[in-house]
Amino acid sequence: MPKRIVHGERVWRSTKLANVQPEAFRAELANLIPCALANGTFECDPQLIWSQVYSFNRRSMTLNKVRRLLDELERVGILFRWNGTDGRVWGYWVGIKDGNVLPKPSEVKRGDYPIGEEPPPDLLDRFLSNELDSGLMLAVDSRASRDMGLGVGVGVGVGVGVGVGVGSGEGVGSGIGGEGMSESTRVKIINNTRELPNSSTSTDLKALLNEITFISDLSVIPDAKQAQAISNWLADYTPEEILDAFRRFYDDVTDDFQLKFAAKNFVEKGPYLIEGMRRIKLERVAEEELRARQRQELEAEVARKEEERKKRQQEEHELIETTLPSDSPLGPTPSADQIPDREES
């Protein structure tokens, strides 16, 4: 495993990193940077990263959390991923070559350090220009057709189903086979389902429950009673708020016992989580507004002082013109911009 120096100032002041949600994920960037080989790329398979980075002393950092972490780092533009020519998923830390944290090019050329596959320039350019959400979306693994979980969906109440197919009962079952799914297929599905429909409450609820099932790797499937409770939330909360609360809740599920009662516990705690997250968001907005006002006040103060300086300089120039005759042996009267400012002298 390579050794890397973390550029503290760039991590501490990163506006991209500040957009990573939840906040707990932000510290993980420093934990993952050492994965980079000498050219800034690394094999970016979630299972491999979990095994190398977290399996020994961070068992609470589950594979699902690692997947979400990588998705989030890519969403904000810190990480770029693509399907390599070797069939593996590769990642590249955007901007790492500018931070003086990699070996010197001469050392790399000499073969002192191993390197990974270089990111495709055209895909990377499109990613940096926000034309592309992920390089994984353009090349779906050929195994995708057989990696998708196939089977008969089981419709529960409003039509929640597991598997791909028509669910028995009142609903149409839909879902994804999680264990055998290729990473490129998983990311493509995430991007295709991230935006929930806004047509009707029934459609919103079905999409919402399917997303909850998918986020939990098919481990949390609300029953009819729990689905009805979540349906009632839609009168007060948006689907995005409910999903954000579930992600926050699911991050704290660390063992099989908690997983067994996860749906029940989420239904009980969900509204409190959403209200708490709303308050945090409002406080964050208020803090940003305060900083904006302070910045405006500072800029206004700087402008006022500059105006006073120019006015004082003009007054000094006029005073010189009135006290010195035009034929004075001291020479011609200097213009205002030729008079040095007192603060600068």
Side-chain angles (χ1 to χ4, degrees), residues 20-26 68 72 248 251:
V20 168
Q21 296 295 338
E23 185 176 339
F25 277 0
R26 298 173 192 172
R68 284 188 51 211
E72 188 67 6
R248 184 71 174 265
D251 280 344

Side-chain angles (χ1 to χ4, degrees), residues 42-88:
F42 59 101
E43 190 174 349
C44 199
D45 179 80
Q47 181 77 50
L48 178 62
I49 290 177
W50 179 84
S51 176
Q52 291 178 335
V53 180
Y54 297 106
S55 62
F56 180 71
N57 58 12
R58 295 283 302 281
R59 300 302 293 271
S60 64
M61 191 67 174
T62 63
L63 176 58
N64 184 62
K65 290 182 182 180
V66 173
R67 287 172 174 161
R68 284 188 51 211
L69 171 62
L70 296 175
D71 291 341
E72 188 67 6
L73 291 174
E74 186 170 47
R75 181 187 69 81
V76 301
I78 292 176
L79 172 66
F80 171 67
R81 293 181 292 180
W82 74 98
N83 293 288
T85 56
D86 55 2
R88 295 181 290 181

